[in-house]
């Protein structure tokens, strides 16, 4: 029966059916064909899975990300980084990586980060002498930091699926997120320096740094306020997410005055659509998860892992290889909501820290966002920059290698994920 369920899902996805509908259609056809459970049990299980205070953080973080996207926060952050490193040949590539890391600490979303950063930085860096293919690849990779550097919507979803602490997951993502940002920046600068990109420089000026810091200060305060509240125990993650919306509106409407009352309906509608899409997919994943448990798929995976006599590191390597391959054809959110719950029982049996597994998983999702043919960041950047998918894919390839190197480092050095806990 498990083969039937898996085949149904793969067929619908191959036909191009949207993920949420593919999961629900597969589950309902399976239930009608096998009588594995009742419709009442389905409704009760899905409702109880979604009835969570933690999940309330998702719409708030999405709304906050859209507010910052429309408010032009990315422009001020890049100007700040450019004032610091713009005097160095190829320094704008470091500035773009730094701005990506900071903006990632605000939005919690890979696609939102890529969209905001791409619109601002691609034309600016092209004017500084950077080829569009290179810049498009850098922005696609930089956008992935939005789901690893906290706050992160992906980590909130994983916390609900695995019953882990959101605060612990956010803490665990700090060091790996910074390591990923450094890796992306190092590769970007090396390529720029080797090929002579961005030789046009500006003299360093403390006055310019101070001016840009003053302008970017309100934006920089966002992650400090949100994460500071969570880490000190002053606010829950959901309360912090709501606070980020209030603060983002204040900065965008009062401080920067880059959005007005007329912009709010579009921002709210876009956020509602994004939230609805995520929660619909999550509901389908909960449904499929319930059926998978009924037919014994997790137990089958545990048995296969036991038969292979894998070491925990071997399991993480095998799981990462599988996730990277699947990530070429499935979006990261599908990997998170459908595949991850099936692997969690094996994680528990092997004694792997679930927080460490979560960071490895999220980094795999990052890689999925920039691997063709389905990588969402590639589509976003291609649309923004006017480049082809082939050009963006070629531009992002060195950064994919860098992220894979970071993935191996995190697998073999779990302390990097757990050192702040």
């Amino acid at each position: 029966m498990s083969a039937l369920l898996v085949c149904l899902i793969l067929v619908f996805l191959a036909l191009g059916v949207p993920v949420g509908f593919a999961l629900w259609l597969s589950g309902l056809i399976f239930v009608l064909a096998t009588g594995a459970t009742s419709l009442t049990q389905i409704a009760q299980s899905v409702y109880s899975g979604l009835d969570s205070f933690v999940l309330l953080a998702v719409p708030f973080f999405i709304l906050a990300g859209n507010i910052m996207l429309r408010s032009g926060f990315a422009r001020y952050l890049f100007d700040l980084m450019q004032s610091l490193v713009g005097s160095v040949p190829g320094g704008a590539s470091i500035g773009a990586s730094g701005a990506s890391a900071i903006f990632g600490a605000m939005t919690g979303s890979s696609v939102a980060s890529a969209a905001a950063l791409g619109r601002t930085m691609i034309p600016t860096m092209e004017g500084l002498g950077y080829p569009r293919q290179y810049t498009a690849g850098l922005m696609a990779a930089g956008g992935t930091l939005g789901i690893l550097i906290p706050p992160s919507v992906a980590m909130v979803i994983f916390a609900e699926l695995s019953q882990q602490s959101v605060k612990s997951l956010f803490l665990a993502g700090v060091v790996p997120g910074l390591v990923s940002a450094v890796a992306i920046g190092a590769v970007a600068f090396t390529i720029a320096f080797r090929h002579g990109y961005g030789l046009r420089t500006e003299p360093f000026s403390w006055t310019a740094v101070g001016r840009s810091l003053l302008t970017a200060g309100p934006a920089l305060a966002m992650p400090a306020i949100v994460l500071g509240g969570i880490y000190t125990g002053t606010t829950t993650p959901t309360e912090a997410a709501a606070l980020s919306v209030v603060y983002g509106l204040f900065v965008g409407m009062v401080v920067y005055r880059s959005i007005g009352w007329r912009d709010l309906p579009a921002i709210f509608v876009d956020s509602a659509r994004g939230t609805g899409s995520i929660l619909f997919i999550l509901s389908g994943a909960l449904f499929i998860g319930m059926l998978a448990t009924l037919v014994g798929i997790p137990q089958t995976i545990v048995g296969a892992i036991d038969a292979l006599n894998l070491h925990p590191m071997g399991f993480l390597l095998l799981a990462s290889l599988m996730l990277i391959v699947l990530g070429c054809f499935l979006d990261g959110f599908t990997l998170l909501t459908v595949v991850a719950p099936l692997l969690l029982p094996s994680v528990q049996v092997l004694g792997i820290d679930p927080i460490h597994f979560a960071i490895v998983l999220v980094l795999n999702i990052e890689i999925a966002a920039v691997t063709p043919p389905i990588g969402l960041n590639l589509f976003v950047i291609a649309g923004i920059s006017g480049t082809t998918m082939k050009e963006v894919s070629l531009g992002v390839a060195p950064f994919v290698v860098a992220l894979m190197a970071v993935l191996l480092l995190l697998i073999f050095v779990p302390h990097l994920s757990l050192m702040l806990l």
Side-chain angles (χ1 to χ4, degrees), residues 317-377:
L317 287 171
L318 182 61
S320 295
L321 178 61
M322 178 187 71
L323 290 167
I324 288 172
V325 173
L326 290 175
C328 294
F329 307 100
L330 302 174
D331 65 277
F333 195 68
T334 303
L335 296 179
L336 172 65
T337 56
V338 179
V339 179
L342 299 179
L343 298 177
L344 280 171
S346 298
V347 169
Q348 296 169 353
V349 169
L350 292 171
I352 299 171
D353 191 306
I355 301 296
H356 178 216
F357 172 72
I359 301 305
V360 171
L361 170 65
V362 171
L363 193 47
N364 273 287
I365 294 173
E366 279 191 355
I367 295 172
V370 287
T371 49
I374 306 296
L376 293 181
N377 283 20

Side-chain angles (χ1 to χ4, degrees), residues 28-107:
L28 290 173
I29 292 173
F30 179 81
V31 169
L32 292 175
T34 64
T37 187
S38 65
L39 297 179
T40 301
Q41 182 61 38
I42 294 170
Q44 290 175 342
S45 178
V46 173
Y47 177 81
S48 62
L50 295 176
D51 184 21
S52 167
F53 182 71
V54 171
L55 286 180
L56 282 176
V58 173
F60 285 125
F61 278 133
I62 291 175
L63 177 56
N66 279 331
I67 291 169
M68 288 178 277
L69 178 65
R70 303 291 183 92
S71 298
F73 281 31
R75 171 79 261 174
Y76 304 120
L77 295 174
F78 181 62
D79 288 345
L80 172 61
M81 297 302 299
Q82 185 68 355
S83 69
L84 291 169
V85 297
S87 60
V88 179
S93 57
I94 302 175
S97 303
S100 299
I102 298 172
F103 198 77
M106 298 179 181
T107 61

Side-chain angles (χ1 to χ4, degrees), residues 274-336:
T275 301
S277 175
I278 287 176
L279 293 182
F280 183 61
I281 294 173
L282 180 58
S283 70
L286 292 170
F287 179 24
I288 293 298
M290 180 189 72
L291 295 179
T293 301
L294 288 175
V295 300
I297 292 179
Q299 292 82 355
T300 301
I301 295 175
V302 170
I305 297 298
D306 186 58
L308 291 172
N309 195 27
L310 284 177
H311 185 273
M313 297 301 174
F315 169 79
L316 290 176
L317 287 171
L318 182 61
S320 295
L321 178 61
M322 178 187 71
L323 290 167
I324 288 172
V325 173
L326 290 175
C328 294
F329 307 100
L330 302 174
D331 65 277
F333 195 68
T334 303
L335 296 179
L336 172 65

Side-chain angles (χ1 to χ4, degrees), residues 3 34 69 97 142 148 154-155 206 209 251 253 260 318 354 378 395 408-409:
T34 64
L69 178 65
S97 303
L148 183 56
M155 289 183 186
W206 283 111
V209 172
V251 173
M253 299 181 73
L318 182 61
L378 303 181
L408 290 174
L409 179 64

Side-chain angles (χ1 to χ4, degrees), residues 375-393:
L376 293 181
N377 283 20
L378 303 181
F379 286 100
V380 170
I381 294 298
I384 291 172
S385 63
T387 55
T388 64
M389 277 290 291
K390 179 181 178 180
E391 289 174 322
V392 181
S393 298

